[in-house]
């Protein structure tokens, strides 16, 4: 079931660059947190120079046999260097396997990555060659140049650029959790949405770092981008322009309503809000968080202008599932401009205070939260209409 790719990169085959991807079709959760509706892949790449051979990243430690088969499917039987762009285990976990298989191979990485790898893997300090930012490594007729790119998404992350062929190996950066038998992206909406989900869940908290490293990548003008998750981009502009839009300060005039309803009051509130926004010709997306995966929310908050939470009160606070939604939203730090909240309660509520505390990282403006006792009544619908008017007005000023 797990497809192992060990192929040349099509039209660059003659340039001796191979994709060794282990495709994980059935994985549905990453970090025991992030939903993977499309599975994922752990890609590594082999670059064969006239004198030396470099393997860029490895694969997830859960797939040693698949990765070994990938290596054995290559026409080249030696590896001199393993480039570690990132210490997280899904790319570094099989470095020990590679060092055992190819005696004398060295791990090439930066000092910070070396430090993290030594803490997590059975490696020795003499296994490493440490490089600095901008340093090159010659493979003979091919040159690798390393660009430090901290915080996409760990502090040690770096990008590797194959200078002569203008091919970028950015590891996690610009990737997607998307299992496919194809090596190359078809630039479809499916890939776009998978890449947006990936950006939202993994890169968005580091938006200012992403902006900076994106500019570096643009400056390199790569002809191919080979990430360590998902397909290779033959058309780099597809992913670079998407990222430029996501990391910009611009938002889309769209109201996202994550909600939970226990006994129908919040459902009635959300129905009214949705209809009111529709009547005002404002795009609105209700998301029932008791059935939606958090990735759906993450995708939509990348560029939505407004987040309006709707939740019942439970034990004075938000429904725990909604509190969880708020805590994760806070961690993802979207560029949302306006926040609001409508809560229903039976006999007492501190939901507004709890929500403001849970969403403290966001720089958005709070717009008149509403608390409603029991099922909404005429005065509550009027208050919601005023809230909708106010939110719409803010989009026109
Ligand atoms: Fe794909 Fe941060 O590891």
């Amino acid at each position: 079931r797990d497809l192992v790719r060990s192929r040349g990169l099509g039209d660059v085959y003659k340039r001796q660059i191979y994709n060794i991807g282990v495709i994980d079709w059935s994985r549905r959760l990453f970090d025991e947190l992030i939903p993977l509706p499309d599975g994922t892949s752990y890609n590594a790449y082999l670059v064969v120079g006239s004198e030396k051979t470099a393997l860029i990243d490895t694969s997830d430690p859960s797939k040693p046999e698949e990765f070994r088969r990938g290596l054995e499917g290559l026409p080249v039987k030696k590896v001199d260097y393993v480039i570690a762009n990132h210490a997280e285990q899904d790319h570094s976990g099989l470095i020990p396997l590679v060092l055992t298989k190819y005696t004398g191979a060295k791990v090439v990485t930066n000092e910070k990555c070396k430090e993290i790898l030594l803490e997590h893997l059975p490696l020795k300090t003499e296994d490493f060659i440490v490089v600095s930012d901008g340093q090159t490594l010659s493979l003979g007729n091919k040159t690798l140049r390393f660009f430090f790119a901290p915080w996409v998404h760990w502090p040690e992350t770096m990008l590797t650029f194959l200078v002569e062929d203008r091919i970028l190996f950015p590891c996690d950066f610009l990737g997607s959790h998307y299992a496919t038998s194809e090596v190359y992206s078809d630039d479809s909406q499916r890939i776009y949405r998978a890449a947006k989900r990936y950006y939202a869940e993994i890169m968005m908290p580091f938006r200012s770092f992403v902006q900076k490293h994106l500019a570096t990548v643009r400056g390199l003008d790569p002809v191919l981008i080979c990430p360590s998750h998902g397909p290779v981009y033959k058309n780099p502009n597809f992913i670079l322009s998407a990222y430029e839009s996501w990391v910009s300060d611009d938002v889309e005039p769209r109201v996202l309503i994550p909600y939970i309803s226990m006994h129908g009051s919040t459902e009635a509130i959300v129905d009214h809000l949705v209809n009111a926004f529709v009547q005002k010709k404002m795009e609105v997306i209700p998301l029932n968080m008791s059935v939606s995966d958090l990735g759906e929310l993450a995708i939509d908050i990348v560029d939505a202008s407004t987040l309006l939470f709707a939740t019942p009160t439970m034990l004075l606070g938000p429904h725990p599932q909604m509190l969880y939604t708020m805590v994760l939203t806070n961690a993802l730090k979207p560029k949302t401009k306006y926040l609001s909240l409508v809560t229903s309660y039976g006999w007492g509520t501190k939901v507004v205070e709890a929500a403001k505390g849970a969403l403290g990282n966001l720089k958005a403006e709070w717009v008149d939260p509403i608390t409603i006792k029991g099922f909404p009544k005429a005065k509550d619908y009027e208050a919601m209409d005023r809230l909708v008017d106010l939110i719409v007005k803010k989009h026109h000023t």
Side-chain angles (χ1 to χ4, degrees):
R1 283 181 304 117
D2 294 307
L3 177 74
V4 179
R5 291 187 302 217
S6 45
R7 317 182 192 167
L9 289 179
D11 57 351
V12 289
Y13 181 81
K14 57 184 176 298
R15 298 180 194 165
Q16 298 281 287
I17 299 154
Y18 301 90
N19 174 325
I20 314 163
V22 178
I23 315 296
D24 201 339
W25 300 98
S26 52
R27 188 161 179 180
R28 286 293 174 268
L29 208 55
F30 201 87
D31 293 345
E32 300 305 311
L33 172 70
I34 298 171
L36 303 180
D38 305 310
T40 191
S41 65
Y42 321 105
N43 308 327
Y45 299 90
L46 190 82
V47 181
V48 183
S50 56
E51 293 171 19
K52 301 285 185 186
T53 297
L55 179 68
I56 300 177
D57 296 312
T58 65
S59 197
D60 192 86
S62 65
K63 301 286 180 191
E65 288 317 310
E66 291 85 345
F67 190 64
R68 193 191 300 275
R69 273 192 283 133
L71 291 171
E72 285 166 3
L74 294 166
V76 181
K77 301 301 173 201
K78 69 157 189 160
V79 168
D80 299 293
Y81 305 117
V82 187
I83 313 301
N85 279 323
H86 178 28
E88 194 164 7
Q89 289 84 341
D90 52 327
H91 310 291
S92 69
L94 295 180
I95 290 176
L97 179 153
V98 176
L99 296 195
T100 303
K101 187 171 172 59
Y102 302 101
T103 315
K106 294 286 181 193
V107 182
V108 178
T109 192
N110 60 71
E111 188 64 47
K112 185 77 189 168
C113 190
K114 174 185 167 186
E115 179 192 317
I116 298 173
L117 289 173
L118 283 170
E119 294 290 347
H120 287 83
L121 296 174
L123 296 170
K124 302 184 292 295
T125 192
E126 56 268 29
D127 292 329
F128 288 84
I129 296 172
V130 172
V131 293
S132 53
D133 189 17
Q135 191 172 330
T136 57
L137 177 72
S138 176
L139 307 178
N141 61 343
K142 294 184 187 299
T143 312
L144 299 178
R145 185 180 289 276
F146 308 106
F147 293 92
F148 290 7
W151 298 110
V152 287
H153 60 129
W154 279 16
E156 87 303 358
T157 42
M158 69 179 198
L159 319 173
T160 296
F161 188 58
L162 176 53
V163 177
E164 291 79 3
D165 299 286
R166 299 213 332 267
I167 298 177
L168 182 74
F169 303 93
C171 198
D172 275 350
F173 190 36
L174 308 171
S176 60
H177 284 309
Y178 194 83
T180 169
S181 60
E182 303 306 302
V183 171
Y184 290 106
S185 162
D186 59 6
D187 297 357
S188 61
Q189 270 304 308
R190 287 182 312 164
I191 305 282
Y192 180 91
R193 195 160 170 84
K196 190 173 186 183
R197 174 187 278 262
Y198 187 91
Y199 165 79
E201 292 168 340
I202 296 163
M203 300 293 164
M204 188 160 66
F206 308 102
R207 190 163 66 95
S208 60
F209 292 95
V210 174
Q211 278 172 341
K212 182 169 167 253
H213 303 318
L214 202 53
T216 303
V217 172
R218 269 291 187 202
L220 293 171
D221 192 21
V223 296
L224 267 190
I225 295 180
C226 302
S228 292
H229 295 292
V232 169
Y233 302 103
K234 216 174 205 171
N235 168 19
N237 197 49
F238 168 77
I239 192 67
L240 294 179
S241 57
Y243 260 69
E244 281 159 357
S245 139
W246 302 332
V247 301
S248 77
D249 292 335
D250 300 335
V251 290
E252 301 287 330
R254 180 186 309 130
V255 180
L256 188 61
I257 308 181
Y259 74 95
I260 295 275
S261 187
M262 294 193 298
H263 299 296
S265 300
T266 311
E267 189 91 53
I269 288 167
V270 172
D271 282 351
H272 188 83
L273 290 168
V274 168
N275 286 330
F277 280 116
V278 168
Q279 278 174 16
K280 297 282 178 186
K281 301 195 180 343
M282 181 96 181
E283 187 184 352
V284 58
I285 303 174
L287 263 183
N288 182 346
M289 296 313 298
S290 61
V291 292
S292 301
D293 90 45
L294 284 161
E296 293 297 311
L297 173 83
I299 292 171
D300 287 325
I301 61 175
V302 165
D303 39 24
S305 60
T306 306
L307 259 172
L308 200 175
F309 294 91
T311 178
T313 297
M314 185 182 265
L315 301 172
L316 290 182
H319 185 285
Q321 184 68 30
M322 187 52 65
L323 186 59
Y324 179 59
T325 302
M326 290 173 180
V327 167
L328 283 175
T329 301
N330 191 54
L332 294 177
K333 296 192 204 160
K335 57 186 177 183
T336 313
K337 284 213 157 71
Y338 307 111
L339 285 174
S340 194
L341 168 76
V342 182
T343 183
S344 66
Y345 69 101
W347 47 89
T349 181
K350 289 191 175 169
V351 166
V352 175
E353 298 91 310
K356 287 188 173 177
L359 293 160
N361 277 346
L362 274 57
K363 295 191 172 70
E365 171 189 344
W366 275 93
V367 183
D368 296 358
I370 297 174
T371 56
I372 294 174
K373 188 164 189 179
F375 200 83
K377 300 161 190 71
K379 67 175 177 22
D380 303 314
Y381 289 121
E382 285 164 16
M384 284 191 270
D385 288 340
R386 286 196 295 277
L387 175 64
V388 168
D389 280 346
L390 190 54
I391 289 172
V392 171
K393 210 165 131 192
K394 283 184 180 289
H395 285 78
H396 296 303
T397 52

